[in-house]
Amino acid sequence: MALPRARHDSLFRLLVSDRARADQLPRDYLPAEVVARLDPERPPVHVEGTIIDGEGSKTQSDALFRLHLGDGSEVIVYALLEHKSQIDHRTPLQLVRYVLKIWGKEMDDGALPDGGLPPVIPIVFFHGREPWTVPCSIQKMIHAPEGLEHLARSFGGYMLHDLGRIAPRELSRSAEVRAAL
């Protein structure tokens, strides 16, 4: 008997709301070059992921973290974690909307002193019964006519961790995070 999707979402949000577990999850799943540069003295900061746009539409990411790099600067990188228990062919579009809203909020808050947008690294955690078949970028969703493939620029890519295809002991170095995943 399958659990309702809302229970899986609630468990995932509970997992990422705990400071120790939330600190471990990005370290386990971000690219190695990002993890190597994280400031060990400043753990990831869980950021409110609900954004209401100008038309009153509400969107909610599963988890959004502000990460600080350890080079002494105030450089910020965001990790956007999204949980899926079913294949969702709109995932690349959903993630791009989240990233655009994050950037829009940063600009609206005046948090970009040099005007540059902070990197946002979307990561999808999937544990469905079937293998994930959704392209991991907007670019791969675009079917450009032959000879015009260059028009499908890289945009909105993300990394996928199909939890059902990872050996349980390899899910995390933390037993609690492994158990929750």
Side-chain angles (χ1 to χ4, degrees):
M1 181 166 128
L3 292 172
R5 241 185 334 190
R7 285 190 184 167
H8 289 285
D9 288 340
S10 296
L11 177 61
F12 189 78
R13 287 197 177 120
L14 183 64
L15 168 68
V16 298
S17 68
D18 176 82
R19 186 178 189 117
R21 293 180 192 126
D23 185 29
Q24 185 64 48
L25 201 57
R27 291 179 192 283
D28 286 341
Y29 287 98
L30 283 169
E33 64 270 20
V34 175
V35 174
R37 294 185 63 189
L38 291 177
D39 185 341
E41 302 299 318
R42 297 170 78 184
V45 177
H46 193 228
V47 178
E48 173 58 44
T50 301
I51 300 172
I52 299 179
D53 65 21
E55 288 89 46
S57 296
K58 177 180 167 184
T59 58
Q60 169 90 37
S61 63
D62 285 337
L64 179 62
F65 294 98
R66 183 177 290 125
L67 309 170
H68 297 274
L69 301 183
D71 58 6
S73 69
E74 283 300 311
V75 175
I76 294 173
V77 174
Y78 283 101
L80 170 65
L81 310 182
E82 185 64 25
H83 166 262
K84 297 289 183 187
S85 57
Q86 297 179 352
I87 292 173
D88 181 354
H89 293 283
R90 298 178 66 92
T91 297
L93 296 172
Q94 175 188 16
L95 294 171
V96 167
R97 279 194 302 272
Y98 288 163
V99 170
L100 292 174
K101 288 180 185 291
I102 291 164
W103 286 338
K105 184 166 181 359
E106 287 285 315
M107 293 181 90
D108 292 346
D109 291 348
L112 305 171
D114 62 359
L117 297 171
V120 178
I121 306 167
I123 303 173
V124 173
F125 293 91
F126 171 69
H127 74 274
R129 294 179 190 266
E130 304 292 324
W132 186 259
T133 57
V134 179
C136 289
S137 73
I138 294 289
Q139 179 185 19
K140 291 182 180 171
M141 289 182 73
I142 298 170
H143 295 281
E146 188 175 330
L148 298 178
E149 296 88 358
H150 67 281
L151 298 176
R153 307 223 185 268
S154 178
F155 183 73
Y158 63 93
M159 297 177 297
L160 172 70
H161 296 283
D162 187 341
L163 302 180
R165 309 301 180 259
I166 300 172
R169 301 252 352 129
E170 295 177 16
L171 288 171
S172 175
R173 290 181 292 273
S174 162
E176 291 178 343
V177 172
R178 276 196 311 272
L181 289 176

PDB file of all heavy atoms in Angstrom, residues 84-87 126-131 162 164-165:
ATOM      1  N   LYS A  84      10.427  14.414  -4.923  1.00  0.00           N
ATOM      2  CA  LYS A  84       9.404  13.870  -5.813  1.00  0.00           C
ATOM      3  C   LYS A  84       9.189  12.401  -5.490  1.00  0.00           C
ATOM      4  O   LYS A  84      10.143  11.635  -5.407  1.00  0.00           O
ATOM      5  CB  LYS A  84       9.822  13.992  -7.294  1.00  0.00           C
ATOM      6  CG  LYS A  84       9.989  15.406  -7.783  1.00  0.00           C
ATOM      7  CD  LYS A  84       8.659  16.097  -7.891  1.00  0.00           C
ATOM      8  CE  LYS A  84       8.830  17.496  -8.461  1.00  0.00           C
ATOM      9  NZ  LYS A  84       7.579  18.242  -8.415  1.00  0.00           N
ATOM     10  N   SER A  85       7.945  12.005  -5.316  1.00  0.00           N
ATOM     11  CA  SER A  85       7.630  10.596  -5.109  1.00  0.00           C
ATOM     12  C   SER A  85       7.005   9.990  -6.359  1.00  0.00           C
ATOM     13  O   SER A  85       6.794   8.786  -6.416  1.00  0.00           O
ATOM     14  CB  SER A  85       6.702  10.424  -3.903  1.00  0.00           C
ATOM     15  OG  SER A  85       5.531  11.183  -4.083  1.00  0.00           O
ATOM     16  N   GLN A  86       6.723  10.843  -7.343  1.00  0.00           N
ATOM     17  CA  GLN A  86       6.189  10.385  -8.622  1.00  0.00           C
ATOM     18  C   GLN A  86       6.890  11.146  -9.737  1.00  0.00           C
ATOM     19  O   GLN A  86       7.346  12.278  -9.537  1.00  0.00           O
ATOM     20  CB  GLN A  86       4.683  10.639  -8.709  1.00  0.00           C
ATOM     21  CG  GLN A  86       3.882   9.867  -7.683  1.00  0.00           C
ATOM     22  CD  GLN A  86       2.399  10.167  -7.789  1.00  0.00           C
ATOM     23  OE1 GLN A  86       1.969  11.054  -8.516  1.00  0.00           O
ATOM     24  NE2 GLN A  86       1.597   9.412  -7.058  1.00  0.00           N
ATOM     25  N   ILE A  87       6.944  10.529 -10.906  1.00  0.00           N
ATOM     26  CA  ILE A  87       7.531  11.209 -12.062  1.00  0.00           C
ATOM     27  C   ILE A  87       6.673  12.423 -12.387  1.00  0.00           C
ATOM     28  O   ILE A  87       5.450  12.332 -12.458  1.00  0.00           O
ATOM     29  CB  ILE A  87       7.623  10.242 -13.256  1.00  0.00           C
ATOM     30  CG1 ILE A  87       8.652   9.171 -12.936  1.00  0.00           C
ATOM     31  CG2 ILE A  87       7.975  10.991 -14.532  1.00  0.00           C
ATOM     32  CD1 ILE A  87       8.729   8.061 -13.956  1.00  0.00           C
ATOM     33  N   PHE A 126      14.305  11.818  -5.710  1.00  0.00           N
ATOM     34  CA  PHE A 126      13.188  11.035  -6.249  1.00  0.00           C
ATOM     35  C   PHE A 126      13.247   9.627  -5.691  1.00  0.00           C
ATOM     36  O   PHE A 126      14.313   9.024  -5.614  1.00  0.00           O
ATOM     37  CB  PHE A 126      13.285  11.002  -7.775  1.00  0.00           C
ATOM     38  CG  PHE A 126      12.317  10.064  -8.439  1.00  0.00           C
ATOM     39  CD1 PHE A 126      10.956  10.337  -8.431  1.00  0.00           C
ATOM     40  CD2 PHE A 126      12.767   8.923  -9.062  1.00  0.00           C
ATOM     41  CE1 PHE A 126      10.058   9.469  -9.044  1.00  0.00           C
ATOM     42  CE2 PHE A 126      11.876   8.058  -9.680  1.00  0.00           C
ATOM     43  CZ  PHE A 126      10.520   8.328  -9.671  1.00  0.00           C
ATOM     44  N   HIS A 127      12.091   9.094  -5.302  1.00  0.00           N
ATOM     45  CA  HIS A 127      12.057   7.716  -4.823  1.00  0.00           C
ATOM     46  C   HIS A 127      10.847   6.955  -5.345  1.00  0.00           C
ATOM     47  O   HIS A 127      10.260   6.139  -4.660  1.00  0.00           O
ATOM     48  CB  HIS A 127      12.121   7.678  -3.290  1.00  0.00           C
ATOM     49  CG  HIS A 127      10.834   8.102  -2.640  1.00  0.00           C
ATOM     50  ND1 HIS A 127      10.542   9.400  -2.381  1.00  0.00           N
ATOM     51  CD2 HIS A 127       9.772   7.381  -2.225  1.00  0.00           C
ATOM     52  CE1 HIS A 127       9.340   9.470  -1.828  1.00  0.00           C
ATOM     53  NE2 HIS A 127       8.862   8.266  -1.724  1.00  0.00           N
ATOM     54  N   GLY A 128      10.492   7.166  -6.601  1.00  0.00           N
ATOM     55  CA  GLY A 128       9.360   6.459  -7.197  1.00  0.00           C
ATOM     56  C   GLY A 128       9.701   5.025  -7.557  1.00  0.00           C
ATOM     57  O   GLY A 128      10.853   4.603  -7.526  1.00  0.00           O
ATOM     58  N   ARG A 129       8.686   4.291  -7.923  1.00  0.00           N
ATOM     59  CA  ARG A 129       8.874   2.885  -8.284  1.00  0.00           C
ATOM     60  C   ARG A 129       9.547   2.733  -9.642  1.00  0.00           C
ATOM     61  O   ARG A 129      10.317   1.810  -9.858  1.00  0.00           O
ATOM     62  CB  ARG A 129       7.530   2.166  -8.301  1.00  0.00           C
ATOM     63  CG  ARG A 129       6.884   2.055  -6.934  1.00  0.00           C
ATOM     64  CD  ARG A 129       5.534   1.338  -7.045  1.00  0.00           C
ATOM     65  NE  ARG A 129       4.802   1.422  -5.809  1.00  0.00           N
ATOM     66  CZ  ARG A 129       4.839   0.503  -4.870  1.00  0.00           C
ATOM     67  NH1 ARG A 129       5.595  -0.553  -5.018  1.00  0.00           N
ATOM     68  NH2 ARG A 129       4.134   0.643  -3.769  1.00  0.00           N
ATOM     69  N   GLU A 130       9.213   3.597 -10.561  1.00  0.00           N
ATOM     70  CA  GLU A 130       9.788   3.551 -11.911  1.00  0.00           C
ATOM     71  C   GLU A 130      11.033   4.416 -11.967  1.00  0.00           C
ATOM     72  O   GLU A 130      11.166   5.354 -11.193  1.00  0.00           O
ATOM     73  CB  GLU A 130       8.757   4.093 -12.918  1.00  0.00           C
ATOM     74  CG  GLU A 130       7.426   3.378 -12.903  1.00  0.00           C
ATOM     75  CD  GLU A 130       7.520   1.956 -13.405  1.00  0.00           C
ATOM     76  OE1 GLU A 130       8.311   1.702 -14.336  1.00  0.00           O
ATOM     77  OE2 GLU A 130       6.825   1.087 -12.847  1.00  0.00           O
ATOM     78  N   PRO A 131      11.944   4.150 -12.887  1.00  0.00           N
ATOM     79  CA  PRO A 131      13.106   5.043 -13.049  1.00  0.00           C
ATOM     80  C   PRO A 131      12.657   6.437 -13.514  1.00  0.00           C
ATOM     81  O   PRO A 131      11.665   6.570 -14.230  1.00  0.00           O
ATOM     82  CB  PRO A 131      13.953   4.358 -14.129  1.00  0.00           C
ATOM     83  CG  PRO A 131      13.452   2.953 -14.187  1.00  0.00           C
ATOM     84  CD  PRO A 131      12.017   2.983 -13.752  1.00  0.00           C
ATOM     85  N   ASP A 162      18.275   9.567  -7.637  1.00  0.00           N
ATOM     86  CA  ASP A 162      17.163   8.624  -7.597  1.00  0.00           C
ATOM     87  C   ASP A 162      17.413   7.697  -6.412  1.00  0.00           C
ATOM     88  O   ASP A 162      18.179   6.738  -6.502  1.00  0.00           O
ATOM     89  CB  ASP A 162      17.107   7.859  -8.919  1.00  0.00           C
ATOM     90  CG  ASP A 162      15.873   6.985  -9.038  1.00  0.00           C
ATOM     91  OD1 ASP A 162      15.237   6.668  -8.013  1.00  0.00           O
ATOM     92  OD2 ASP A 162      15.548   6.607 -10.160  1.00  0.00           O
ATOM     93  N   GLY A 164      15.884   5.410  -4.963  1.00  0.00           N
ATOM     94  CA  GLY A 164      15.599   3.991  -5.114  1.00  0.00           C
ATOM     95  C   GLY A 164      16.710   3.234  -5.818  1.00  0.00           C
ATOM     96  O   GLY A 164      16.751   2.012  -5.790  1.00  0.00           O
ATOM     97  N   ARG A 165      17.621   3.937  -6.451  1.00  0.00           N
ATOM     98  CA  ARG A 165      18.715   3.314  -7.196  1.00  0.00           C
ATOM     99  C   ARG A 165      20.052   3.438  -6.456  1.00  0.00           C
ATOM    100  O   ARG A 165      21.099   3.099  -6.986  1.00  0.00           O
ATOM    101  CB  ARG A 165      18.857   3.934  -8.591  1.00  0.00           C
ATOM    102  CG  ARG A 165      17.585   4.026  -9.427  1.00  0.00           C
ATOM    103  CD  ARG A 165      16.940   2.666  -9.679  1.00  0.00           C
ATOM    104  NE  ARG A 165      15.731   2.763 -10.477  1.00  0.00           N
ATOM    105  CZ  ARG A 165      14.500   2.709  -9.978  1.00  0.00           C
ATOM    106  NH1 ARG A 165      14.298   2.569  -8.705  1.00  0.00           N
ATOM    107  NH2 ARG A 165      13.453   2.780 -10.770  1.00  0.00           N
TER     108      ARG A 165
END
